[in-house]
Every structure is written in C-alpha cells, then in structure tokens.
Amino acid sequence: MQQQKRMVQPDYSQSDLDTASHCQLFKNVSTHELRVLLTCFQINEIICKEKQLIFQAGAPQSSLGIVMDGEVLVQKDDVTGERLILGTFSRSDVFGEVSAFSGVERWLNNVVALTDCRIWMIPADRISSPCADSCFAHQTLIRNMLTIVSQRAVNMNNRIHYLQMKRIRRKLAAFLYDAYVQKGNTTFMVPFNREAMADYLNVSRPSLSRELGRMKKEGMIDFYRQAFTIRDLQALRKIKSK
C-alpha cells in the first residue's frame, strides 16, 4: 500500500461542526466553545482514498485524528504479512490518541483507509496545553480525553481476554456479550465485517462464519452483515464464562 493523501485546510462547515459535536472529545462543549477550540487547534484535514495507507508505523506523529467521513483501520503488520487488527474507526471517532500522548512521537501502528475518508488532525500539544480564550472548555476537553484513553485501555484488556480463549464459540460469545454491555441493547452494530472480525479475534474467516451460523441456528443470535441481535442472553453468558 503506497502512502497517498491530500492535506487541506478545513472549512468548518455546519455539517462538519455537527460531526465534531458528536465526537466524544467534544462532549459537553457548546457550539460557541467548539468554534473557538477549532480555531485554536490549527487543524489540518487529510483526504484519502479507499485502501490507502494514511500513516505508517514508525512515521513521526504529533497529532491525533478525528474521522469526519468514511472509515479507517488501525492494524499491526508483521514481517510475514500477517495483520492484527487493533480497531476500526468511523465518523466522529478519535484515533491515535494513545501514541500521540505517549512521548514516543511516532505512529505505533499502520492506519489504513477502509473507505474514501476525511480526517481532521489535531496537534496533541494543543489539547494538553490550555488556551486562554477557552479555559473552561479546555478543562472539559482534557477530562474527555482521559475518558477516551481509559476506554481504550478497557477495550484492549477485553481484546487480550478474547485472544487468550481457545474456542471460537467462546470468543464470539464474549465479544458479542461485551458489545451488548457496551451498547446497552441486545441489538447493535459491530465495527467489523467478517474478515476484520476474524482478524480481530485471531481466527480464520471460514471458521468464524461457520460458528456464527451454528449459533444463529441454535437461536442464540441473529445477524445481518454488521448488525447483531442477541436472542438468548443467558446462553451467551454461560458460554463466555466457561
């Protein structure tokens, strides 16, 4: 994958302001405060095509990203070409915050465009250094960033738990049950297609599809593409706890 991207200055359209307002980084920040913060941040906008490499592991990093349109994938690739998916991010999602504030100053993993996408890049030091023009909003911003980083740590802990499980059914049960807990609803969307989900759980795609089919036939779950419904929560809980 060749790195190709176009960098422009954002126009801060109303549509983009609406997208930014749904970003967890700007939770409880008013529209007026958001406009002031965006001016302070000196944001760059990156425009990428599907499957393009946006950032390569080891490249210098001073900013974190917010997806304005499309989807991006963060993955770790080894020398044999095997990939380990760390997460997918869609509109209003933040990515790259852990490495941005780690002091390493380099991207730890590859970031790839799953679809055509637009990304706002915010310099990390603009978030960590309070601005005199929006002091209260900046305090809110820092609290939000701590929440984002903490949630990322919880997600990574869950991921390690899945990878330690030997049986595909148990991995799927734990993954779907955790999604239910996170969403607070037995019907939810997962951020992966089948190939990405298989990579995320470290199983083969055919084996994953077969097991999903069995669980659906047994009345535990129902699904269509990335939409899932848990039909038997007790059965799922029992499998994941074995």
Side-chain angles (χ1 to χ4, degrees), residues 2 17 20 24 38 54 56 66 84 116 130 209 218 222 239:
Q2 182 180 0
L17 290 175
Q24 190 171 3
L38 294 178
I54 306 171
Q56 187 169 23
I66 298 177
L84 181 65
D116 292 354
S209 296
E218 292 170 23
D222 198 3
I239 292 169

Side-chain angles (χ1 to χ4, degrees), residues 65-80:
I66 298 177
V67 182
M68 302 306 292
D69 282 309
E71 287 185 288
V72 303
L73 174 74
V74 178
Q75 65 185 46
K76 185 179 289 293
D77 298 276
D78 64 22
V79 293
T80 66

Side-chain angles (χ1 to χ4, degrees), residues 155 158 162 171-192 197 200 226-230 233 236 240:
N155 291 339
N158 288 340
Y162 306 147
K171 290 186 181 194
L172 278 169
F175 172 73
L176 294 173
Y177 186 84
D178 288 344
Y180 149 73
V181 171
Q182 185 179 35
K183 303 293 185 181
N185 197 311
T186 54
T187 296
F188 49 82
M189 298 287 293
V190 299
F192 305 116
M197 186 188 294
Y200 185 78
Q226 293 175 240
F228 281 80
T229 297
I230 298 176
L233 193 59
L236 216 61
K240 91 177 191 69

Side-chain angles (χ1 to χ4, degrees), residues 53-223:
L53 180 63
I54 306 171
F55 298 108
Q56 187 169 23
Q61 179 188 11
S62 59
S63 303
L64 55 93
I66 298 177
V67 182
M68 302 306 292
D69 282 309
E71 287 185 288
V72 303
L73 174 74
V74 178
Q75 65 185 46
K76 185 179 289 293
D77 298 276
D78 64 22
V79 293
T80 66
E82 293 293 322
R83 70 172 183 171
L84 181 65
I85 292 180
L86 301 177
T88 59
F89 302 87
S90 55
R91 180 176 291 182
S92 299
D93 286 343
V94 177
F95 69 92
E97 74 290 339
V98 174
S99 50
F101 291 106
S102 68
V104 176
E105 299 182 349
R106 294 194 177 276
W107 287 93
L108 301 178
N109 305 290
N110 291 331
V111 181
V112 181
L114 276 177
T115 65
D116 292 354
C117 59
R118 289 190 306 119
I119 300 165
W120 280 2
M121 299 304 300
I122 303 177
D125 59 3
R126 292 283 174 169
I127 295 176
S128 58
S129 302
C131 167
D133 293 330
S134 54
C135 183
F136 179 76
H138 235 119
Q139 292 176 18
T140 302
L141 204 69
I142 292 171
R143 285 196 298 270
N144 290 343
M145 180 53 67
L146 287 172
T147 299
I148 292 171
V149 173
S150 298
Q151 288 178 343
R152 200 77 76 213
V154 170
N155 291 339
M156 185 56 66
N157 184 67
N158 288 340
R159 176 77 186 288
I160 293 170
H161 186 51
Y162 306 147
L163 294 178
Q164 289 174 330
M165 296 175 177
K166 297 190 184 324
R167 295 173 57 236
I168 296 176
R169 174 168 287 216
R170 191 181 176 203
K171 290 186 181 194
L172 278 169
F175 172 73
L176 294 173
Y177 186 84
D178 288 344
Y180 149 73
V181 171
Q182 185 179 35
K183 303 293 185 181
N185 197 311
T186 54
T187 296
F188 49 82
M189 298 287 293
V190 299
F192 305 116
N193 60 24
R194 294 294 180 271
E195 181 179 0
M197 186 188 294
D199 285 342
Y200 185 78
L201 296 175
N202 196 30
V203 299
S204 72
R205 180 176 176 177
S207 297
L208 176 84
S209 296
R210 279 196 301 271
E211 195 58 54
L212 283 172
R214 291 190 188 106
M215 293 170 76
K216 181 176 181 178
K217 188 175 181 179
E218 292 170 23
M220 272 186 267
I221 62 172
D222 198 3
F223 56 85

